[in-house]
Amino acid sequence: GSTLQAAAAESNRYYGAAMAGSYLNNSQITGILQREFNMITAENEMKMDATEPNQNQFNYTNGDRIVNWALQNGKQVRGHALAWHSQQPGWMQNMSGQSLRNAMLNHVTQVATHYKGKIHSWDVVNEAFADGNSGARRNSNLQGTGGDWIEAAFRAARAADPGAKLCYNDYNTDDWSHAKTQGVYNMVKDFKARGVPIDCVGFQAHFNSGNPVPSNYHTTLGNFAALGVDVQITELDIEGSGTSQAEQFRGVHQACLSVARCTGITVWGVRDSESWRSSGTPLLFDGSGNKKAAYNYSLDAL
Ligand code: XIL
């Protein structure tokens, strides 16, 4: 294939990008999206603070704009994200206990129902595990509502949109030896054993020199897949430049391609100039929309 989406499709995988609403005003970026990508994630527009700015008053304007653009252009959509400790609306941030639990479940139900039938996969829960060596859950207001909050969110999402694949998504879960990786693995194993509805695990894959692409990435992806879930690279970006950056992108692609149930790769933006890491150059296209070495190595690896 001569584009990322065409090359990925040769092995029945998708190739995605995150997009911000502002991309819709930039014909160079929408042109690249149309040509190269067949899966879209809204960078911020479907998060809790965006979709429920006031309790039980939902605003889908900006999310709908992205979802409608994607569907009208023949793309699929990854929903991101239904429940997360970060980017919560102000009214939710200081809630706790049963009222927070009910508010979270209502949010999951309402948003998944609004987008029902339009979503390939939902990141139902994002980043619920702690960094460091504990392998434990992250201490958050949601965790404070009870350790079963994650499975409750998954059950609510399944009830609201039975057609969407339901994913758990996190970062720094790429290296098999990390305690955080093991914590997530044990949760997914437990969910599968008890019939909690989970279909996929997303690996954000935000890499930099302090957090490089692990050489055992294929082991991690393969071990999760062996639990009976799809795995996906969901927010890929890698700080750096030139050949060394390109080689790391190649490594991520090779790891996914080596695991049958690694069903797709999404990069977290299109051009370096719009990246959330605004000081760096972590993406596949430069600020002028030119393909970088990272693009060529990624395409060749697909
Ligand atoms: C980031 C967005 O890219 C930024 O625009 C925003 O200011 C903060 O969130 N993990 C995730 C994403 O799951 O939602 C985050 O996106 C990046 C880290």
Side-chain angles (χ1 to χ4, degrees):
S2 60
T3 65
L4 297 167
Q5 59 168 318
E10 287 167 11
S11 63
N12 290 314
R13 292 178 169 87
Y14 68 77
Y15 208 95
M19 71 180 288
S22 59
Y23 290 12
L24 293 171
N25 305 321
N26 186 313
S27 61
Q28 180 181 82
I29 302 179
T30 54
I32 295 171
L33 286 168
Q34 282 162 333
R35 187 183 76 221
E36 299 286 343
F37 301 98
N38 57 5
M39 183 70 74
I40 295 293
T41 308
E43 187 175 1
N44 289 297
E45 291 78 356
M46 293 164 75
K47 292 174 180 175
M48 301 181 101
D49 56 352
T51 50
E52 196 177 357
N54 300 295
Q55 187 168 12
N56 224 16
Q57 291 182 1
F58 291 84
N59 184 342
Y60 299 112
T61 306
N62 294 329
D64 284 356
R65 207 174 276 148
I66 289 176
V67 170
N68 291 338
W69 182 89
L71 297 180
Q72 284 160 10
N73 285 277
K75 320 293 186 196
Q76 293 183 286
V77 177
R78 292 194 91 259
H80 177 78
L82 292 172
W84 190 18
H85 71 278
S86 184
Q87 290 181 273
Q88 291 183 358
W91 60 266
M92 185 181 277
Q93 288 175 24
N94 295 316
M95 283 181 81
S96 62
Q98 194 61 42
S99 57
L100 174 60
R101 172 72 74 111
N102 290 340
M104 179 274 289
L105 291 175
N106 182 55
H107 182 88
V108 170
T109 299
Q110 295 295 325
V111 177
T113 298
H114 176 79
Y115 286 110
K116 181 179 177 176
K118 298 181 175 177
I119 303 297
H120 172 279
S121 306
W122 265 114
D123 291 333
V124 178
V125 171
N126 198 29
E127 302 183 351
F129 277 75
D131 297 319
N133 296 323
S134 69
R137 297 286 183 84
R138 178 188 296 275
N139 183 7
S140 72
N141 62 345
L142 292 169
Q143 184 64 23
T145 71
D148 62 341
W149 75 274
I150 298 179
E151 61 193 85
F154 274 84
R155 291 188 200 282
R158 180 70 98 221
D161 185 357
K165 294 201 183 289
L166 305 183
C167 306
Y168 177 79
N169 194 55
D170 214 328
Y171 66 91
N172 286 359
T173 48
D174 314 286
D175 191 316
W176 181 242
S177 69
H178 281 179
K180 188 172 177 182
T181 309
Q182 296 298 316
V184 175
Y185 177 85
N186 287 329
M187 178 188 74
V188 175
K189 188 178 182 185
D190 172 58
F191 280 11
K192 294 301 288 185
R194 290 191 295 112
V196 177
I198 184 169
D199 306 303
C200 34
V201 176
F203 297 80
Q204 292 185 9
H206 296 294
F207 294 112
N208 54 46
S209 55
N211 176 40
V213 180
S215 58
N216 62 20
Y217 208 2
H218 62 286
T219 301
T220 305
L221 298 174
N223 285 347
F224 274 88
L227 294 176
V229 288
D230 290 339
V231 294
Q232 290 141 5
I233 308 294
T234 54
E235 306 184 10
L236 178 61
D237 54 17
I238 308 177
E239 284 284 8
S241 62
T243 306
S244 77
Q245 179 187 46
E247 286 170 349
Q248 292 179 74
F249 269 98
R250 179 171 62 197
V252 173
H253 287 70
Q254 288 173 339
C256 180
L257 270 283
S258 74
V259 175
R261 291 195 76 160
C262 184
T263 59
I265 297 172
T266 291
V267 288
W268 202 242
V270 177
R271 308 188 308 186
D272 286 336
S273 43
E274 282 72 42
S275 169
W276 71 307
R277 294 168 151 181
S278 52
S279 60
T281 55
L283 294 172
L284 301 180
F285 295 86
D286 70 18
S288 303
N290 299 311
K291 297 170 181 172
K292 296 164 55 182
Y295 173 97
N296 294 321
Y297 278 53
S298 297
L299 181 66
D300 285 350
L302 289 169

